[in-house]
Amino acid sequence: MALLDTSKYAQGFGLGGVNPDLASERQTASFSVERLTTVLDGGAEHTRVRRAVVEAIERDPVFSRENQYFQTQNERYEAAVRKAVHLQKKMHEMGWREDGPEFIYIYRALAGDVAFLLHRVFMRSISVLGSDEQVAKWIPLATKHQLIGSYAQTELGHGTYLQGLETTAVFDTTTQEFILNTPKISAMKWWPGDMGRSATHTVVFAQLYVHGKCYGVHPFIVQMRSLRDHSLCPGITAGDIGPKMNFEHIDNGYLMLQNVRIPRENMLNKFCEVQPDGTYIRRGSQKINYFTMTTLRVSLLSDEVILPLMKACTIAIRYSAVRRQSKLNPGEEEAKILDYQTQQEKLLPQLAAAYAFHFINNYLHKLFDRGYKEIQERNFSSLPELHASSSGFKAMLSQYCTAGVEICLRACGGHGYSLLSGLPSLYTKILASCIYEGENTILLLQTARFLIKCFAAASAGQPVPQSVTYLAAVKPGKCPAKNKLDFLNPDIYVEAYQHIAIRLLSSTAAKLQDLIQSGVKKHEAWNQCTVQLVQAAKAHCHYITVKNFVETVEKLENKAGIQKIMKHLCDLYALHGIFSNAGLFLHDGYISGAQMDMITASYLDLLGVIRKDAVPLVDAFDFTDKSLNSALGSYDGNVYQRLYEWAQKSPTNQQISPAYEKYLRPLLHNKLSKL
Amino acid sequence: MALLDTSKYAQGFGLGGVNPDLASERQTASFSVERLTTVLDGGAEHTRVRRAVVEAIERDPVFSRENQYFQTQNERYEAAVRKAVHLQKKMHEMGWREDGPEFIYIYRALAGDVAFLLHRVFMRSISVLGSDEQVAKWIPLATKHQLIGSYAQTELGHGTYLQGLETTAVFDTTTQEFILNTPKISAMKWWPGDMGRSATHTVVFAQLYVHGKCYGVHPFIVQMRSLRDHSLCPGITAGDIGPKMNFEHIDNGYLMLQNVRIPRENMLNKFCEVQPDGTYIRRGSQKINYFTMTTLRVSLLSDEVILPLMKACTIAIRYSAVRRQSKLNPGEEEAKILDYQTQQEKLLPQLAAAYAFHFINNYLHKLFDRGYKEIQERNFSSLPELHASSSGFKAMLSQYCTAGVEICLRACGGHGYSLLSGLPSLYTKILASCIYEGENTILLLQTARFLIKCFAAASAGQPVPQSVTYLAAVKPGKCPAKNKLDFLNPDIYVEAYQHIAIRLLSSTAAKLQDLIQSGVKKHEAWNQCTVQLVQAAKAHCHYITVKNFVETVEKLENKAGIQKIMKHLCDLYALHGIFSNAGLFLHDGYISGAQMDMITASYLDLLGVIRKDAVPLVDAFDFTDKSLNSALGSYDGNVYQRLYEWAQKSPTNQQISPAYEKYLRPLLHNKLSKL
């Protein structure tokens, strides 16, 4: 019962060495953390570049996120603009180029708190959809930041269904202008980033009308604000849509157009054009447009979906090795909460999933690189597979990772609920990934539509894309496993996942067929099957993820220590999936109840095995303390000291609240007594 | 393509009548909404009182929540204090008494944004743990607000495990004082509400030492701040713990004690006392203390857990009847999203659960009223059952309702993510209910411990509490259902839930036994079974909830229309639970795969049936627009107009951002061009 050294309080507890509870976790690692980091980065050179970028960004005080948790929406916006402007300077200073190896790490290092991301989408859409003249005019201006661009597609009443957009662009042959209008409130552009307060220009998607005829949705470049004083241009009403769960640093905006006239040349016209006399001409295929959206979905997975889960795992697992609570055995000291089976069961499957998703992300990038090469050679045959993959995996990963971050947050008890843990902001941000770039349910149904087609083709003996050839392999059968160790055999569990994916798809295809044959209209029949179609699409993605994890582990044969722990994680990922979706596997008896007990036993055993390496496994993600920005998750594990130090910086501790003078003092003084 | 009436824009769109899409939903209700509201309130008189309270609170501008989504943490705290002080005046003015019928509705009407809730816990703990003299001294002071109390139990390093608290109170016989200290940083009090900036006094829980001997944790009244000027008392360090996911209106605080001396009389001494010479005396049973915590868990369910789910359902279902997206059938207008099966499958099970939980809350209150009467007659025999029930249901309901609110949020797409939808704040607030008043996993394990004991007793033919007598009824068997309609028979599904609860408990009890018999230590064996014990505890609570819903529906026999729709909801709640936990039911073959297909078919059919009454079913919750505080969920369904009006009030639209002058103007003007 030694009394506290009060001088240490005054000094803020001096965050000295590493907490011994955390240090001991690192001494027993079964593998080299540095080597695993290199594997995750894809080679030592990548690791070097990444660390150099992170260091340069974090050393620069302009990019500091120190006060982020205390800032208002206005303050966060201002900081994001400051960072965006400074970033241009920084890139120049460091010699980082947009096509250089450093580029992919810059936004990761900034952890997203930077403005003008839509400026990049503005540029991309002009590059893809604009004619050579339009590209020549606008891209240099945008590159030099002589304007700030945004991208105005979504409307207050219209999201995913683009054909439903209501904004109009009417061609006026007399003036050679398009007249843009927001015909009703639901047509107001709503949500576009960088539009509420920053953008001077935007690409507006509107229904094109020429001589009273509607030609569907087209993109138009519209100036919103004066380049001289930033005032709104005539006919433009615009502003910020207000507070959100996160993304306070982004000025998501609204835009209303009232008889806004733009020259004929401002319609992006690579693929279609309105000639001076109003003749409408369509050129080439618009399929490639979808490819832009498709790649966007895949490119966001790493930084916006998988990394947040890795960060949440790092914070929660380090904290769980420091936090002690209750006793596992009477007479002993309080146990680390990571030693409780229930805590392991919350966190370790998330850790395994983070690795699984890192590897499936690599797989998707390879698939897309190959597809992109084919497309450049004018071979568009892989587009359906690429679209289905990007949709399904974006939905599955964002949904799983969002749930995973929430589990990590809750597993940290009360302290996880404090913004200072870093977990609430990870959660509120990743949650948006379930909605943006395609709502997840709609995306899964697009994947399902592709699978249903492929299943029909495969059943008819027609060729199907490589990732779905397994659909032809319908074989009922039973799982051959005899004991719990058999379930650590990847052949056994990959086969089980494959079986379930086929079963769900074939049974739903049959239901669909039955409904149609019984007279239900095709669209209505589809709607009646959608709950099951979503299940089938998820099962397909789950199967591919497990299979890819297994194949990745096989390729690590020259790295024995790492291969061994990755094999454990792969097993855990696979068995956790079966344990958590037991009904799918038991349904037709492919897995029996007795086998499910074996799976459960193996799964629970694995928790104990991986628990030993849990801290090194999150260390290998190689996050700096600054990038985690968490009082609970720092490398040194001095969680309580950091919580106390950080709390003192809160604005709630910077002044006596006016509430005292206004309300508390009158209340107490009215009836002041001596106690 | 009619152009917008610009005068309407200027007038803010005049929120006129009810949106026709929403109005049409109400014309086809199969039951009387008003009558259902009365059933939910427990009688017409309750409805009248509730509405009167809500009206009085909402009419008073001091209680307005209009700007809540735009406020900083400091502003929300100030508003909460203002409301708390004003509430005293209001209650006096309205003649509302703490023991009157209005009281239970006041906090609901305020929607929680009020300070000094811990003042009530301070008073309650003195009433329960204090001697008659202590009650006589402190309660009148607290009642008259001559002090503001808090409750300091949780420490930075210690939550649920009270024995682990590290704060010390050493008795000094020479001065007849206790000396309180925070011996290390993990012992700092952390999280207590009203403590960071408001409280003048608090009840501190500390390890009592007399003559060097530790007597365990005891409660002490400690003054923190001067009653004259609110400055911190000598030896006290205190402040606010900073930003959180929600509860910004509450000043959760920290407290460090350095040689703080308090008189001997300030230890709450109803059950134990330190006499002047240091003799320690313990009196009577402390069991009743647990009962206070136990009742707290049940009393928070209604306002903090079930109501938020009801509100989220109201918002999401009304919005889904207004929002149109894509086409269900080609050629038709865009469909209401509530007509998509996937949207129904997200929202309608949440609606059914909200009703199920409202009824189980009634059940728990009856159980506790009966238990409280017995305890007053010195019969403590029901304490274990009450403790197990409050723990298990608090955990199950808070977990389910948190997930349900998140589903509602995500089902509203991008607009759900805006704070103006009201859904983010419902989510971030209800999430805390999974952590406070006992972390859910720990609570479920306490329920499991009770069940394991009862199962052993029941198996041995000994008497067990009424709610667990079913554990004696072990009968393997198979589900007798032959077709999908059989699964609308409550006997069929109640029996299935009962079977699963027994199976999970008995198999886990067997595993526990096996481990112990194989030589594993008892505590370690327990830890190895905890994942399954949690499952078993949940299954028990799920069974009781379904059974109670069925019994509630049976009692509605004199209200045919309401009974019919409640029966549908009960069926949906039960079948959704089986569909979502299929593995548990298929595991031992109690339900076959073919039967699971029947369940799925019945479940999906029910979605279509309940969809027709979905809007009237949320209308019956009878929330005012002000209490929902949602741009998406108002009764009139004018969602887009309201989003636009509310967004304009955001501080982000109140001024030109300083970011323009500082960063944007220099950026754009450096290279100004004519476009």
Side-chain angles (χ1 to χ4, degrees):
Chain A
M1 201 198 56
L3 280 187
L4 190 73
D5 175 356
T6 53
S7 67
K8 267 191 104 180
Y9 274 106
Q11 291 160 26
F13 303 93
L15 299 169
V18 174
N19 179 305
D21 277 341
L22 201 49
S24 68
E25 298 282 338
R26 294 179 173 124
Q27 284 155 11
T28 53
S30 78
F31 62 91
S32 154
V33 169
E34 180 66 19
R35 227 170 149 201
L36 178 52
T37 298
T38 307
V39 168
L40 290 172
D41 278 326
E45 177 57 15
H46 289 283
T47 302
R48 196 195 58 72
V49 172
R50 178 177 55 74
R51 286 180 179 161
V53 170
V54 168
E55 208 218 316
I57 296 277
E58 292 188 352
R59 209 176 37 206
D60 190 327
V62 176
F63 296 122
S64 167
R65 290 162 65 216
E66 199 185 332
N67 293 315
Q68 180 183 316
Y69 301 132
F70 307 129
Q71 287 174 329
T72 64
Q73 192 179 3
N74 270 332
E75 289 164 348
R76 289 196 63 189
Y77 166 70
E78 185 178 328
V81 171
R82 185 179 69 232
K83 288 180 193 180
V85 171
H86 186 67
L87 181 60
Q88 304 308 316
K89 202 177 132 197
K90 189 81 186 178
M91 286 183 63
H92 183 74
E93 182 187 309
M94 299 297 295
W96 295 337
R97 296 154 42 110
E98 301 230 346
D99 56 356
E102 296 87 0
F103 194 72
I104 55 164
Y105 300 117
I106 293 174
Y107 287 90
R108 183 183 304 188
L110 290 166
D113 258 21
V114 62
F116 305 164
L117 294 180
L118 269 286
H119 185 69
R120 302 177 59 75
V121 180
F122 173 83
M123 288 174 71
R124 188 191 287 207
S125 58
I126 293 174
S127 305
V128 175
L129 305 176
S131 65
D132 292 347
E133 300 80 50
Q134 288 172 325
V135 170
K137 173 177 177 183
W138 294 98
I139 296 299
L141 293 170
T143 306
K144 286 180 261 167
H145 283 90
Q146 288 177 276
L147 57 80
I148 299 166
S150 175
Y151 180 84
Q153 182 177 297
T154 303
E155 294 175 358
L156 196 38
H158 304 278
T160 306
Y161 184 66
L162 289 191
Q163 295 171 52
L165 293 179
E166 295 178 296
T167 303
T168 57
V170 178
F171 185 59
D172 180 351
T173 44
T174 52
T175 61
Q176 293 290 303
E177 289 171 321
F178 294 104
I179 310 166
L180 278 83
N181 269 293
T182 301
K184 34 179 174 153
I185 184 157
S186 55
M188 195 184 296
K189 296 295 175 183
W190 197 270
W191 274 112
D194 298 338
M195 199 171 83
R197 314 175 80 176
S198 301
T200 60
H201 290 69
T202 187
V203 171
V204 170
F205 285 80
Q207 301 284 357
L208 169 66
Y209 284 82
V210 186
H211 299 321
K213 183 180 168 192
C214 181
Y215 289 88
V217 173
H218 288 71
F220 302 85
I221 297 178
V222 176
Q223 181 166 358
M224 294 178 59
R225 290 184 176 92
S226 153
L227 290 167
R228 293 241 158 248
D229 64 4
H230 220 235
S231 61
L232 292 170
C233 295
I236 300 278
T237 304
D240 187 280
I241 66 164
K244 301 145 289 185
M245 271 189 108
N246 200 320
F247 290 90
E248 297 103 322
H249 60 288
I250 298 286
D251 55 320
N252 297 92
Y254 60 80
L255 168 66
M256 199 153 47
L257 302 149
Q258 290 170 271
N259 293 315
V260 173
R261 289 177 170 266
I262 58 168
R264 192 177 63 91
E265 293 72 28
N266 277 23
M267 181 172 112
L268 291 176
N269 60 11
K270 184 168 183 176
F271 298 106
C272 42
E273 191 182 350
V274 176
Q275 294 192 323
D277 66 348
T279 307
Y280 178 83
I281 295 174
R282 179 175 289 277
R283 303 189 194 94
S285 159
Q286 276 202 317
K287 267 190 184 169
I288 192 72
N289 297 345
Y290 295 106
F291 191 64
T292 313
M293 297 206 297
T294 300
T295 48
L296 193 59
R297 267 180 214 129
V298 172
S299 64
L300 66 84
L301 288 179
S302 174
D303 284 8
E304 304 302 327
V305 177
I306 304 168
L307 242 70
L309 180 61
M310 289 176 167
K311 285 185 178 176
C313 285
T314 305
I315 295 167
I317 287 175
R318 286 181 181 164
Y319 175 65
S320 298
V322 168
R323 176 74 174 189
R324 290 175 174 275
Q325 189 73 31
S326 303
K327 303 190 177 186
L328 258 174
N329 292 300
E332 290 179 359
E333 69 174 323
E334 288 187 63
K336 293 178 176 182
I337 58 175
L338 195 53
D339 286 323
Y340 291 95
Q341 188 188 52
T342 45
Q343 187 77 353
Q344 293 166 11
E345 212 262 335
K346 288 174 190 174
L347 298 179
L348 302 185
Q350 311 318 317
L351 178 64
Y355 276 91
F357 296 159
H358 177 82
F359 297 132
I360 198 70
N361 184 50
N362 290 347
Y363 161 92
L364 289 168
H365 277 273
K366 269 182 215 140
L367 191 74
F368 273 76
D369 287 348
R370 203 180 60 213
Y372 191 63
K373 272 192 201 115
E374 290 174 10
I375 284 162
Q376 285 177 314
E377 294 156 9
R378 303 262 154 200
N379 171 2
F380 297 97
S381 63
S382 62
L383 274 180
E385 184 187 12
L386 295 176
H387 176 66
S389 300
S390 77
S391 302
F393 283 104
K394 183 274 187 181
M396 178 181 116
L397 267 62
S398 60
Q399 191 159 323
Y400 192 99
C401 291
T402 300
V405 171
E406 198 201 316
I407 290 169
C408 291
L409 187 158
R410 281 160 65 162
C412 292
H415 295 329
Y417 190 78
S418 163
L419 293 200
L420 307 180
S421 74
L423 292 164
S425 58
L426 286 174
Y427 174 77
T428 52
K429 195 164 177 210
I430 195 175
L431 177 63
S433 73
C434 298
I435 302 161
Y436 62 57
E437 305 306 336
E439 195 276 331
N440 279 352
T441 303
I442 296 170
L443 291 182
L444 286 167
L445 288 173
Q446 295 190 3
T447 306
R449 201 175 282 278
F450 167 80
L451 292 173
I452 287 281
K453 275 184 199 161
C454 293
F455 180 72
S459 305
Q462 292 161 8
V464 292
Q466 195 267 327
S467 65
V468 289
T469 48
Y470 77 94
L471 290 176
V474 189
K475 33 183 176 179
K478 307 268 177 198
C479 172
K482 300 267 181 273
N483 57 56
K484 70 174 182 175
L485 293 180
D486 285 347
F487 283 104
L488 303 180
N489 176 351
D491 292 343
I492 295 282
Y493 57 69
V494 168
E495 184 87 13
Y497 274 95
Q498 187 189 90
H499 176 84
I500 271 50
I502 297 174
R503 183 179 67 71
L504 286 172
L505 199 63
S506 63
S507 67
T508 313
K511 177 179 170 185
L512 196 57
Q513 204 58 39
D514 287 353
L515 284 168
I516 292 169
Q517 278 173 1
S518 75
V520 179
K521 278 191 210 154
K522 208 171 155 189
H523 284 80
E524 183 48 37
W526 178 263
N527 189 30
Q528 286 181 31
C529 292
T530 46
V531 166
Q532 287 148 310
L533 286 163
V534 165
Q535 265 190 339
K538 280 187 197 167
H540 164 76
C541 295
H542 208 156
Y543 159 61
I544 302 286
T545 306
V546 169
K547 184 161 154 276
N548 180 67
F549 202 160
V550 168
E551 289 165 1
T552 304
V553 171
E554 279 166 8
K555 286 180 204 139
L556 291 168
E557 67 224 322
N558 58 345
K559 301 183 180 67
I562 287 170
Q563 189 181 41
K564 194 172 165 204
I565 186 71
M566 288 299 112
K567 167 72 166 62
H568 288 320
L569 283 176
C570 179
D571 293 345
L572 183 69
Y573 178 73
L575 298 191
H576 172 256
I578 302 179
F579 177 77
S580 317
N581 299 283
L584 300 180
F585 293 82
L586 291 164
H587 187 280
D588 66 348
Y590 183 83
I591 300 270
S592 69
Q595 286 174 321
M596 195 55 75
D597 290 338
M598 298 170 200
I599 289 166
T600 304
S602 266
Y603 165 58
L604 295 176
D605 288 350
L606 276 167
L607 294 177
V609 171
I610 292 165
R611 184 261 168 268
K612 297 193 188 86
D613 279 318
V615 169
L617 280 167
V618 297
D619 286 351
F621 295 145
D622 203 29
F623 292 116
T624 61
D625 284 356
K626 282 188 181 169
S627 86
L628 292 173
N629 207 12
S630 164
L632 301 187
S634 289
Y635 187 83
D636 67 12
N638 290 319
V639 300
Y640 300 133
Q641 293 91 327
R642 210 168 259 110
L643 269 176
Y644 179 54
E645 287 202 346
W646 290 15
Q648 287 173 86
K649 294 181 196 160
S650 169
T652 49
N653 289 318
Q654 301 308 308
Q655 54 163 20
I656 297 241
S657 168
Y660 175 66
E661 278 300 323
K662 285 195 213 164
Y663 310 112
L664 290 182
R665 205 166 68 92
L667 181 76
L668 295 166
H669 280 224
N670 275 347
K671 323 148 189 171
L672 190 66
S673 69
K674 277 254 188 299
L675 288 180
Chain B
M1 201 198 58
L3 280 187
L4 188 74
D5 174 357
T6 53
S7 67
K8 267 192 105 180
Y9 274 106
Q11 292 161 24
F13 302 92
L15 298 170
V18 173
N19 179 305
D21 278 341
L22 201 49
S24 68
E25 299 282 338
R26 293 180 173 124
Q27 284 155 8
T28 54
S30 77
F31 60 93
S32 153
V33 169
E34 180 67 19
R35 226 171 150 198
L36 179 51
T37 299
T38 307
V39 169
L40 290 172
D41 279 325
E45 177 58 15
H46 289 283
T47 301
R48 196 195 58 74
V49 171
R50 178 176 56 72
R51 286 180 179 163
V53 170
V54 167
E55 208 218 315
I57 296 276
E58 292 188 353
R59 206 177 38 206
D60 190 327
V62 176
F63 296 123
S64 167
R65 291 162 65 215
E66 199 185 332
N67 293 314
Q68 180 183 315
Y69 301 132
F70 308 129
Q71 287 174 328
T72 64
Q73 192 179 4
N74 271 333
E75 288 164 349
R76 289 195 63 189
Y77 166 69
E78 187 178 325
V81 171
R82 184 180 68 232
K83 289 179 192 179
V85 171
H86 186 68
L87 181 61
Q88 304 309 316
K89 203 177 130 198
K90 189 82 187 177
M91 286 183 64
H92 183 74
E93 182 186 310
M94 300 296 297
W96 296 336
R97 297 154 43 110
E98 301 230 345
D99 55 358
E102 296 88 0
F103 195 72
I104 55 164
Y105 301 117
I106 293 174
Y107 287 90
R108 183 183 303 189
L110 290 166
D113 259 22
V114 62
F116 306 163
L117 295 180
L118 268 288
H119 185 68
R120 302 176 58 77
V121 180
F122 173 84
M123 288 174 71
R124 187 191 289 208
S125 58
I126 292 174
S127 305
V128 175
L129 305 176
S131 64
D132 292 347
E133 299 80 46
Q134 288 171 325
V135 170
K137 173 177 178 184
W138 294 98
I139 295 300
L141 293 170
T143 305
K144 285 180 263 165
H145 284 88
Q146 287 178 276
L147 56 81
I148 299 166
S150 174
Y151 182 84
Q153 182 177 297
T154 303
E155 295 176 357
L156 197 39
H158 305 277
T160 307
Y161 184 66
L162 289 192
Q163 294 171 54
L165 293 178
E166 295 179 298
T167 303
T168 58
V170 178
F171 185 60
D172 180 351
T173 43
T174 52
T175 62
Q176 293 290 302
E177 289 171 321
F178 294 104
I179 311 166
L180 277 85
N181 269 293
T182 301
K184 30 178 177 155
I185 183 158
S186 55
M188 194 183 296
K189 296 296 176 185
W190 197 272
W191 276 110
D194 298 337
M195 198 172 82
R197 314 175 81 177
S198 301
T200 60
H201 291 69
T202 188
V203 171
V204 170
F205 284 80
Q207 301 285 356
L208 168 66
Y209 285 83
V210 185
H211 299 321
K213 184 179 168 190
C214 181
Y215 289 89
V217 173
H218 288 71
F220 302 86
I221 297 178
V222 176
Q223 181 167 358
M224 294 177 59
R225 291 185 175 91
S226 153
L227 290 167
R228 292 239 159 249
D229 64 5
H230 220 236
S231 62
L232 291 169
C233 295
I236 300 280
T237 304
D240 186 280
I241 65 164
K244 301 145 288 185
M245 272 188 106
N246 200 319
F247 290 92
E248 297 102 322
H249 59 289
I250 297 287
D251 56 321
N252 296 93
Y254 60 81
L255 167 67
M256 199 153 47
L257 301 149
Q258 291 170 271
N259 293 316
V260 173
R261 289 177 169 265
I262 57 168
R264 192 177 63 91
E265 294 73 27
N266 277 23
M267 182 172 109
L268 292 176
N269 60 11
K270 182 168 186 176
F271 298 105
C272 41
E273 190 181 351
V274 176
Q275 293 192 322
D277 66 349
T279 307
Y280 177 83
I281 295 174
R282 180 176 287 277
R283 301 188 196 96
S285 160
Q286 276 202 317
K287 267 190 183 169
I288 192 71
N289 296 345
Y290 294 106
F291 190 64
T292 313
M293 297 205 296
T294 299
T295 48
L296 193 57
R297 266 179 215 129
V298 172
S299 64
L300 65 84
L301 288 179
S302 173
D303 284 8
E304 304 300 326
V305 177
I306 302 168
L307 242 70
L309 180 61
M310 289 175 166
K311 285 185 178 177
C313 286
T314 305
I315 295 167
I317 287 175
R318 286 182 180 164
Y319 176 65
S320 297
V322 168
R323 176 75 172 186
R324 290 175 173 272
Q325 188 75 30
S326 302
K327 302 189 178 185
L328 257 174
N329 292 301
E332 291 180 358
E333 70 175 322
E334 290 189 62
K336 293 178 176 183
I337 57 175
L338 193 53
D339 285 323
Y340 291 95
Q341 189 188 51
T342 46
Q343 187 76 353
Q344 293 166 11
E345 211 262 337
K346 288 173 189 174
L347 298 180
L348 303 185
Q350 312 318 317
L351 178 64
Y355 275 90
F357 297 161
H358 176 82
F359 297 131
I360 198 71
N361 184 50
N362 291 347
Y363 161 90
L364 288 168
H365 277 273
K366 269 182 216 141
L367 192 73
F368 273 76
D369 288 347
R370 203 181 58 212
Y372 191 62
K373 273 194 200 116
E374 290 174 10
I375 284 162
Q376 285 177 313
E377 293 157 9
R378 301 262 155 201
N379 170 3
F380 297 97
S381 63
S382 63
L383 273 181
E385 183 187 13
L386 295 175
H387 176 66
S389 300
S390 77
S391 301
F393 283 103
K394 183 272 189 184
M396 178 180 115
L397 266 62
S398 60
Q399 192 159 322
Y400 191 99
C401 292
T402 300
V405 171
E406 198 200 316
I407 289 169
C408 291
L409 187 158
R410 282 159 66 162
C412 293
H415 295 327
Y417 190 78
S418 163
L419 292 200
L420 307 181
S421 74
L423 292 163
S425 59
L426 285 174
Y427 175 77
T428 52
K429 195 164 178 211
I430 195 175
L431 178 64
S433 73
C434 298
I435 301 161
Y436 62 58
E437 305 306 336
E439 196 276 330
N440 279 353
T441 303
I442 296 172
L443 291 182
L444 286 167
L445 288 172
Q446 295 189 2
T447 306
R449 201 176 283 279
F450 166 79
L451 292 173
I452 288 280
K453 275 185 201 161
C454 292
F455 180 71
S459 306
Q462 292 160 8
V464 291
Q466 195 266 327
S467 65
V468 289
T469 47
Y470 77 93
L471 291 174
V474 189
K475 31 183 176 178
K478 307 268 176 199
C479 173
K482 300 268 179 274
N483 58 54
K484 70 174 183 176
L485 293 180
D486 286 346
F487 283 104
L488 303 180
N489 176 352
D491 292 344
I492 294 283
Y493 55 68
V494 168
E495 184 87 14
Y497 275 95
Q498 186 189 92
H499 176 84
I500 270 49
I502 297 174
R503 183 180 67 72
L504 286 172
L505 199 64
S506 63
S507 68
T508 313
K511 177 180 169 185
L512 195 59
Q513 204 58 37
D514 287 353
L515 283 168
I516 292 168
Q517 276 172 4
S518 75
V520 178
K521 277 190 212 155
K522 207 172 155 189
H523 284 79
E524 182 50 35
W526 179 263
N527 189 31
Q528 286 180 32
C529 293
T530 46
V531 167
Q532 288 147 308
L533 286 163
V534 165
Q535 265 189 339
K538 281 186 197 166
H540 165 76
C541 295
H542 209 155
Y543 159 61
I544 302 285
T545 306
V546 170
K547 184 161 153 275
N548 180 67
F549 202 159
V550 169
E551 288 164 2
T552 304
V553 171
E554 280 167 6
K555 285 179 206 141
L556 291 167
E557 66 225 321
N558 58 344
K559 301 182 179 69
I562 288 170
Q563 189 180 42
K564 192 173 168 206
I565 186 71
M566 289 298 113
K567 166 71 166 62
H568 290 319
L569 283 176
C570 179
D571 293 346
L572 183 70
Y573 178 73
L575 298 191
H576 172 256
I578 302 179
F579 178 77
S580 318
N581 299 284
L584 300 180
F585 293 82
L586 291 164
H587 187 281
D588 66 348
Y590 183 83
I591 300 271
S592 70
Q595 286 174 321
M596 194 55 75
D597 290 338
M598 298 169 199
I599 289 166
T600 304
S602 266
Y603 165 59
L604 296 177
D605 288 348
L606 277 167
L607 294 177
V609 171
I610 293 165
R611 183 262 169 269
K612 298 195 189 87
D613 278 318
V615 169
L617 280 167
V618 296
D619 285 351
F621 295 145
D622 203 30
F623 291 116
T624 61
D625 284 357
K626 282 188 182 171
S627 86
L628 293 172
N629 207 12
S630 164
L632 301 188
S634 289
Y635 188 83
D636 67 12
N638 290 318
V639 299
Y640 301 133
Q641 293 92 325
R642 209 169 259 109
L643 270 175
Y644 179 55
E645 287 202 346
W646 289 15
Q648 286 174 87
K649 295 182 197 158
S650 169
T652 51
N653 289 320
Q654 300 310 308
Q655 54 163 24
I656 297 242
S657 169
Y660 174 67
E661 279 299 323
K662 285 195 212 164
Y663 310 112
L664 290 181
R665 205 166 68 93
L667 181 77
L668 295 166
H669 280 224
N670 276 346
K671 321 148 190 169
L672 190 64
S673 70
K674 277 254 188 300
L675 288 180

